[in-house]
Amino acid sequence: MNIAKYALSNKVVIHFFLVVTVLGGIWSFPKLGKLEDAPFIIKTAVITAVYPGATQYEVEELVTDLLESSIQNTRGLDYLKSESRPGRSTVWVNIKLDTPPEIMPQIWDELRRKVNDAEKQLPEGAYVVQINDDFGDVYGIYYSLTADSGFKYSELKHYAKFIRRELVTIPEAAKVALYGVQEEVINVEISQEKLASSGIHPQQIFATLRGQNKLVYTGNLETPNEEIRVTSDGTFKSIAEIENLVIEGQSEGLFKLGDIATLTRAYRYPALTEFRTNGLPAIGIGISTAEGQNTIVLGEKIRQKLEYIEEQLPVGIEIQGLYHQDKVSVDANRDFMINLVLSVGIVVAIILLAMGARAGVLIGSSLVFSILGTLLLMYFTGIQLHRTSLAAIIIAMGMLVDNAIVVADNAIIGIAKGQKKKDALINGAYTPQWGLFGATIIAVLSFMPLYLAPHSTAEIIAPLFIVLAYSLGLSWLFALTQTPLYGEFILEGPKEGSEVEDPYSKPFYVKFKRFVEGCIARKWFTMGIVVVVLVLSVFGYQSIKRSFFPNIDKAYFKVDYWLPEGYNINRTASDMKQIEDFLRTKPELRNVSISIGSSPLRYYLASTSFSLRSNFANILVETVDGESAVKLLDELEKYINENIPDATPIMFRFKVSPHPDAIIEPTIVGPDPAILRQYGDSIKAIFRAEPKVRNIRTGWGNKSMTWGPIYSQTKGQGAGVSRDLMANYLKMITTGIGVGYFREEDENIPLLLKDKDWKNFDYGNTGGLQVYNPEGKSVSLEQVIDGYDIHWENKVIRRYNRARALAIQCDPVPGVENPEIEAVVMPKINALALPDGYSIFWDGIFEDQQLSQEAIMENLPLALILMFAILIVLFNSIKKSFIIFLMLPLIIIGVVLGFLLTGLSFGFFAVLGLLGLLGMVIKNAIVLLEQADNEMKENGKSRYEAIVLAAQSRSLPVIMASGTTILGMFPLLPDPMFGSMAATIMGGLFVATLLTLIVLPVLYSIIYGLKK
């Protein structure tokens, strides 16, 4: 099949499809969905259950273990992690990373059924609060609603709910969530003196409140024609109605609740979470983008809606933007267009300089058609524009002209040899047609291990593989159709009457041929030099910095702020006020938002999330630019370490990958917390001896104080007071006893019964607290207890796959990467002699890196086998295929050179570039060896002459193809994310090009035993 001949014989058909490609590509670009990062599913669900009054050990045994037992046979389960705290259990269900995204909804449905079944077996009083399978939802457009001191918090909350109602109507918005909303309560504060004088005991108040406010179904009245609903109204409509609730005392007197108690509307104390922005109380508002929708369009519609909303807000209530994924996407698309123009300009400029203006226009036009065609295919297959797909287009930029360069160069040489222009164009495309096709397939296959990786990596990188397949496939098709078609009127034909010149008689070609012949004549010396350089490069690799996932250049940073276990949210909030005041003195600051008590809404996909913790806060800081963010991060860390010494601030710059709980995280597994702590201390000592680590901590935190009365069975039963009753009355001086709800609009506001002195209770006189038995007789607390217990305990019990697990954590100091620390501490930690039944595994970023690398390498053999098979089909020769594969290890020379010159770190994206480099090198080798075969078949050359002439004649196309790719990567070199990939390709391809033109002929001569 001669595709070029068909194209020149059916020009109307080809022109039609070229016009469709141009118009379709231009039309598609603004319509493509746009995101910051390639979407992928975080395959984690979080189950939260409560068991009020239970210790952490009771929660572990009676709640956590039961839930884990029911969940452990969930389809596709990878591992379980859990945390048991007093009264609260949290279980993280992690599904295998290679689970197809499309079956995740079925797995979550199955999980819900298992948890619902398990809930029926929980002890009385324990229940499941939430099964959160939306753990990975990203609220990429994140606002804050603030109120100045002239407004009540209830007003702020009212306007936040109003804004949510308005924004949720936007079609492109999937969800609108609020963060930091304080829970309103009604405190029923009772005076012990008034209770005694009225003869009323608290159980009467419990029963009366619950009975009055309970919703009861009262049935229907049936008439001959109608069914009439019967209501039994009487639920509380106002606080005044609750105050007027009549309660009968023991002396048969009637009292209003307001006579013996004070009712006040307030907010739960202590709060579970708080939120502040720029020094003001705030509520976070996060909006997620609906699947397949354009984030930029959503962002614009939100801003339009907010213009209307802001007109409804009073002065002093303000909406402030915290994080805008849409603006990041706009910036990314702008940078893409700049890089696109730069890359096209660089490629065309190189071609113009090396091959002349006509060839430059011809080959440059092929590049434009390939890019526009790729955009059109992306639109029809639902691939959005984001960091990964844009990178694929940039990677492909230099490779897209390779096929067109070969075809155009063949045609130009044919014309120079006296062929008719049309014949030269057809022959120039037809001769390498299948060789270029095979080379293109191999270039695509080099990225296949990423696409097939059994890991979330595959979801992130899959668009890169597909976009490269589209673009490189189109470049091959356009090289065989558009290039001959346009070449017919762009290229000059042979001049009549002019002598036919040997195109390879120019000085460059002559000198290059002599050089190749010299290398072949000294083939063992040449290969000896190459081997020595390769060995030196392997040693040089040890000097390269390594960072698996790079930081992203954002004008943001964030801090996970930890106080010792046992600190309350009031202390955490006080520290945040101090830090906030420090930050607001900095001129480079734009915004600071602080989430106290838990992580904020997930506004960025690659972020860590923590559930409720009173000793935790998250700080998000926005500065004027990325450089200022780095500077202020260092200043803030220094300030916290000097002024709040008991805090542990974990400082983060944004990365493209999810960040684990800690960078370095060996985890000890075993049954006894004391032994876990003992060996945990040994590991901490190893960390402390290493000056390049910081933030040494454990996943369980420190031990914290516990205080409580010791219930006496003898005294309690004699007084008619059970342990449960005693615990309830203790709640009257702490968080309050829930006795019902006051329903208002869409909210159920808890009614909490408390002692009137609960805020200022004298804990030294706890023994005098009155406790009532079911008959209404009161006794003091000290009459039913045997004293008090004060001790230090593990407030948190964490488990891994149902076994207790203590993680010892630390992070490298700035400028040091985890491999350097791991090389020092891992042998020491792994050498610890643990008792039977105990073991250590490595979590943290080490596990993430291992899993990612193993996932990529898993399908590399398959890709190499397919590449080798294609080479055998192309050449019908194992020897030639083997020669090409022998070239691949030599790539390391250029890769090491590239990193040593640029000073960049080798990481995940460098691996990505390395895989792409394999395809590029094989492609160049195919071009050269195919030309050698043609010299033997068509011109009767000997094998020696054929390989030398092939190196000579293919030198320009190979150098041009590599040069355009190398310089096309140049705009990516400063990019913090793709810079290492660019360095890999630029350095590797530069050296590989020299090796292809020089070492490949030498290897060929060795394998075939050639001499001049």
Side-chain angles (χ1 to χ4, degrees):
M1 180 172 64
N2 192 326
I3 298 174
K5 186 175 181 180
Y6 173 85
L8 290 173
S9 302
N10 298 271
K11 297 178 181 178
V12 174
V13 174
I14 304 303
H15 278 304
F16 170 76
F17 283 107
L18 290 175
V19 170
V20 169
T21 299
V22 171
L23 296 179
I26 294 171
W27 173 80
S28 299
F29 180 70
K31 293 184 174 294
L32 283 168
K34 296 174 178 68
L35 294 171
E36 180 177 4
D37 291 298
F40 70 92
I41 294 176
I42 296 178
K43 300 181 177 74
T44 300
V46 183
I47 300 165
T48 306
V50 295
Y51 188 10
T55 68
Q56 60 272 37
Y57 297 104
E58 291 169 331
V59 168
E60 178 192 22
E61 181 180 357
L62 300 175
V63 179
T64 304
D65 191 67
L66 178 62
L67 290 173
E68 289 176 335
S69 176
S70 300
I71 294 166
Q72 67 181 356
N73 62 348
T74 299
R75 179 166 45 129
L77 180 68
D78 189 4
Y79 62 92
L80 293 171
K81 283 188 176 182
S82 65
E83 177 182 277
S84 299
R85 291 175 173 267
R88 190 179 190 89
S89 169
T90 307
V91 181
W92 288 266
V93 183
N94 297 276
I95 303 302
K96 290 178 180 177
L97 295 173
D98 60 350
T99 304
E102 58 271 14
I103 71 168
M104 289 306 300
Q106 302 169 31
I107 291 176
W108 295 146
D109 286 344
E110 180 182 330
L111 176 66
R112 285 178 178 277
R113 289 195 296 271
K114 290 179 181 294
V115 173
N116 289 336
D117 290 342
E119 187 174 18
K120 299 171 186 175
Q121 303 174 48
L122 293 177
E124 184 180 355
Y127 58 95
V128 174
V129 175
Q130 186 181 39
I131 306 172
N132 181 13
D133 55 18
D134 296 330
F135 181 66
D137 283 358
V138 178
Y139 297 90
I141 300 178
Y142 192 33
Y143 286 91
S144 173
L145 186 71
T146 61
D148 63 27
S149 57
F151 289 89
K152 297 177 182 177
Y153 187 85
S154 59
E155 295 174 292
L156 176 67
K157 182 177 175 181
H158 166 77
Y159 285 113
K161 293 168 69 175
F162 162 67
I163 292 171
R164 180 175 61 183
R165 287 195 302 270
E166 292 293 321
L167 293 181
V168 80
T169 61
I170 299 174
E172 289 80 7
K175 295 179 183 177
V176 180
L178 302 181
Y179 175 83
V181 178
Q182 301 300 297
E183 183 183 9
E184 194 169 4
V185 298
I186 296 175
N187 290 323
V188 182
E189 298 177 352
I190 297 178
S191 163
Q192 295 289 339
E193 294 79 10
K194 289 185 179 180
L195 279 179
S197 63
S198 66
I200 294 175
H201 58 87
Q203 280 93 337
Q204 289 175 283
I205 300 175
F206 303 162
T208 307
L209 280 170
R210 286 173 175 164
Q212 177 67 22
N213 205 36
K214 188 176 181 180
L215 294 175
V216 179
Y217 173 64
T218 49
N220 299 306
L221 289 178
E222 300 293 333
T223 69
N225 298 312
E226 296 183 51
E227 181 180 84
I228 302 171
R229 186 171 67 90
V230 178
T231 64
S232 177
D233 200 12
T235 56
F236 301 127
K237 301 295 190 300
S238 67
I239 292 182
E241 288 189 12
I242 305 176
E243 290 176 326
N244 290 326
L245 181 66
V246 176
I247 301 173
E248 184 177 355
Q250 286 186 331
S251 58
E252 298 186 358
L254 299 179
F255 298 87
K256 292 182 179 179
L257 180 60
D259 294 337
I260 56 174
T262 302
L263 277 70
T264 56
R265 291 185 74 141
Y267 293 94
R268 183 178 290 278
Y269 182 89
L272 297 178
T273 61
E274 296 181 19
F275 191 62
R276 295 178 61 82
T277 300
N278 297 332
L280 295 172
I283 292 175
I285 304 172
I287 306 100
S288 63
T289 307
E291 186 176 355
Q293 294 298 324
N294 190 325
T295 300
I296 296 175
V297 173
L298 173 61
E300 184 57 38
K301 289 190 176 181
I302 288 173
R303 281 187 287 277
Q304 292 172 4
K305 180 74 76 170
L306 290 180
E307 287 178 6
Y308 157 75
I309 290 172
E310 286 176 330
E311 293 176 358
Q312 318 299 314
L313 300 180
V315 176
I317 299 283
E318 294 185 359
I319 302 172
Q320 302 183 39
L322 299 179
Y323 190 83
H324 299 280
Q325 189 186 71
D326 58 314
K327 292 183 179 179
V328 174
S329 300
V330 168
D331 292 342
N333 280 274
R334 183 195 62 231
D335 293 343
F336 163 70
M337 293 305 298
I338 293 172
N339 286 334
L340 179 63
V341 172
L342 283 173
S343 296
V344 171
I346 289 169
V347 169
V348 172
I350 295 170
I351 298 169
L352 288 171
L353 289 172
M355 300 180 69
R358 292 178 180 272
V361 172
L362 177 61
I363 296 170
S365 63
S366 175
L367 173 62
V368 173
F369 280 114
S370 297
I371 293 170
L372 292 174
T374 300
L375 294 175
L376 183 60
L377 289 177
M378 286 172 62
Y379 175 78
F380 282 118
T381 54
I383 297 177
Q384 299 166 309
L385 280 175
H386 41 62
R387 206 186 305 272
T388 305
S389 58
L390 293 178
I393 295 174
I394 297 296
I395 292 171
M397 198 70 65
M399 301 165 64
L400 292 179
V401 296
D402 291 3
N403 294 324
I405 286 174
V406 172
V407 172
D409 183 68
N410 284 349
I412 291 169
I413 296 299
I415 292 170
K417 288 182 176 180
Q419 294 182 27
K420 292 181 180 179
K421 183 163 59 172
K422 184 174 181 179
D423 292 339
L425 287 165
I426 292 174
N427 292 333
Y430 179 68
T431 302
Q433 175 176 298
W434 297 116
L436 292 178
F437 180 74
T440 299
I441 296 299
I442 286 174
V444 173
L445 284 176
S446 64
F447 290 94
M448 189 181 74
L450 294 167
Y451 180 71
L452 297 179
H455 193 269
S456 55
T457 302
E459 290 180 55
I460 301 170
I461 300 298
L464 184 141
F465 173 81
I466 297 170
V467 172
L468 280 170
Y470 288 163
S471 57
L472 295 180
L474 288 173
S475 75
W476 175 79
L477 186 60
F478 287 131
L480 302 182
T481 55
Q482 179 264 334
T483 300
L485 184 63
Y486 280 29
E488 195 172 26
F489 64 84
I490 291 178
L491 297 180
E492 288 184 314
K495 296 178 182 178
E496 294 184 11
S498 61
E499 293 185 12
V500 176
E501 270 186 47
D502 181 2
Y504 303 117
S505 62
K506 296 177 182 178
F508 167 78
Y509 289 113
V510 174
K511 291 179 181 178
F512 182 73
K513 180 182 178 184
R514 287 176 185 163
F515 182 74
V516 172
E517 288 177 333
C519 291
I520 293 175
R522 300 170 183 83
K523 50 190 167 215
W524 293 113
F525 176 75
T526 303
M527 290 308 303
I529 292 174
V530 171
V531 171
V532 169
V533 174
L534 176 61
V535 172
L536 291 174
S537 298
V538 172
F539 282 105
Y541 176 75
Q542 307 303 317
S543 304
I544 295 174
K545 294 186 295 183
R546 271 162 279 178
S547 175
F548 197 65
F549 283 109
N551 293 317
I552 301 174
D553 186 21
K554 285 180 178 284
Y556 292 88
F557 69 87
K558 52 186 178 177
V559 185
D560 280 346
Y561 181 90
W562 295 94
L563 287 170
E565 194 68 51
Y567 278 43
N568 61 35
I569 196 169
N570 299 320
R571 163 61 195 275
T572 309
S574 174
D575 286 1
M576 290 302 101
K577 181 68 170 61
Q578 181 180 343
I579 290 171
E580 192 176 55
D581 291 342
F582 167 77
L583 287 171
R584 294 182 66 204
T585 64
K586 301 298 178 179
E588 62 267 37
L589 180 75
R590 276 189 177 164
N591 288 303
V592 53
S593 65
I594 299 177
S595 308
I596 306 170
S598 74
S599 295
L601 297 172
R602 190 189 295 272
Y603 53 85
Y604 181 65
L605 182 60
S607 57
T608 308
S609 185
F610 294 100
S611 57
L612 295 173
R613 286 164 170 77
S614 61
N615 61 325
F616 171 79
N618 175 273
I619 308 167
L620 173 64
V621 178
E622 180 186 7
T623 60
V624 293
D625 54 39
E627 186 177 339
S628 299
V630 175
K631 175 175 172 287
L632 187 54
L633 180 147
D634 293 336
E635 291 179 8
L636 178 59
E637 183 175 25
K638 181 180 179 183
Y639 175 83
I640 294 173
N641 289 334
E642 290 178 353
N643 293 276
I644 316 177
D646 50 354
T648 302
I650 314 297
M651 318 299 288
F652 295 101
R653 292 181 63 196
F654 280 68
K655 285 181 176 284
V656 72
S657 67
H659 203 290
D661 290 356
I663 302 296
I664 312 293
E665 192 174 5
T667 301
I668 313 172
V669 179
D672 188 343
I675 294 177
L676 293 177
R677 287 277 189 188
Q678 176 188 339
Y679 284 93
D681 289 341
S682 299
I683 293 176
K684 288 165 73 174
I686 293 172
F687 285 161
R688 290 193 185 100
E690 175 53 52
K692 294 182 179 179
V693 305
R694 58 177 181 169
N695 302 330
I696 299 169
R697 58 202 188 274
T698 73
W700 290 18
N702 55 285
K703 288 187 175 182
S704 58
M705 183 186 291
T706 297
W707 168 90
I710 303 170
Y711 176 74
S712 169
Q713 291 286 344
T714 304
K715 294 177 182 179
Q717 295 302 326
V721 176
S722 66
R723 177 178 173 275
D724 181 54
L725 268 177
M726 181 192 77
N728 259 332
Y729 282 103
L730 281 171
K731 285 177 70 175
M732 288 185 65
I733 61 171
T734 55
T735 56
I737 305 171
V739 292
Y741 291 92
F742 171 61
R743 298 175 184 86
E744 184 176 69
E745 297 179 353
D746 61 342
E747 291 191 61
N748 284 331
I749 303 174
L751 297 168
L752 300 179
L753 194 63
K754 297 182 178 182
D755 186 276
K756 72 176 180 66
D757 296 320
W758 67 277
K759 279 188 178 179
N760 304 299
F761 193 83
D762 179 9
Y763 293 104
N765 190 34
T766 307
L769 179 70
Q770 293 300 298
V771 180
Y772 291 79
N773 66 17
E775 286 73 39
K777 294 181 180 179
S778 69
V779 294
S780 62
L781 179 66
E782 61 186 8
Q783 292 178 274
V784 296
I785 64 174
D786 286 334
Y788 300 94
D789 176 45
I790 301 177
H791 64 276
W792 295 84
E793 66 175 5
N794 296 304
K795 188 177 178 181
V796 181
I797 303 295
R798 289 195 169 198
R799 302 177 11 148
Y800 178 84
N801 283 340
R802 304 189 66 191
R804 288 173 175 168
L806 174 65
I808 299 85
Q809 304 164 330
C810 71
D811 304 305
V813 299
V816 176
E817 297 297 338
N818 61 290
E820 185 176 346
I821 303 299
E822 290 162 357
V824 176
V825 302
M826 284 183 78
K828 297 177 183 178
I829 293 172
N830 290 337
L832 289 175
L834 300 178
D836 290 342
Y838 293 80
S839 61
I840 293 178
F841 74 91
W842 287 84
D843 206 341
I845 205 165
F846 176 81
E847 184 190 39
D848 290 346
Q849 292 179 358
Q850 289 292 104
L851 290 174
S852 297
Q853 291 170 349
E854 289 171 5
I856 293 170
M857 293 301 128
E858 183 171 321
N859 289 292
L860 182 59
L862 174 61
L864 292 174
I865 290 169
L866 291 175
M867 292 178 188
F868 198 81
I870 291 173
L871 291 175
I872 290 177
V873 171
L874 284 176
F875 294 111
N876 191 29
S877 168
I878 291 180
K879 281 186 177 181
K880 292 173 186 174
S881 304
F882 181 65
I883 290 169
I884 292 175
F885 263 62
L886 282 177
M887 297 290 297
L888 299 183
L890 304 180
I891 292 172
I892 190 66
I893 298 171
V895 172
V896 171
L897 178 65
F899 280 96
L900 290 177
L901 290 175
T902 60
L904 296 172
S905 297
F906 189 91
F908 175 79
F909 290 95
V911 173
L912 189 152
L914 190 60
L915 292 174
L917 199 55
L918 296 178
M920 297 176 196
V921 172
I922 292 174
K923 190 174 185 180
N924 284 340
I926 288 173
V927 170
L928 192 145
L929 291 186
E930 189 178 52
Q931 181 64 29
D933 285 351
N934 289 336
E935 292 289 348
M936 287 187 287
K937 291 177 185 176
E938 297 178 7
N939 301 323
K941 302 293 184 182
S942 68
R943 193 175 291 277
Y944 174 85
E945 291 174 319
I947 193 62
V948 172
L949 288 173
Q952 180 189 44
S953 62
R954 293 296 89 190
S955 58
L956 182 60
V958 169
I959 291 171
M960 290 296 301
S962 299
T964 53
T965 302
I966 290 169
L967 293 177
M969 290 285 104
F970 192 78
L972 282 181
L973 205 54
D975 189 287
M977 181 167 157
F978 293 108
S980 63
M981 182 186 70
T984 302
I985 293 174
M986 293 173 74
L989 196 55
F990 172 74
V991 172
T993 300
L994 299 179
L995 297 176
T996 300
L997 295 174
I998 299 167
V999 178
L1000 183 61
V1002 173
L1003 274 173
Y1004 188 91
S1005 68
I1006 291 173
I1007 297 296
Y1008 283 98
L1010 304 181
K1011 294 182 180 178
K1012 186 171 182 180

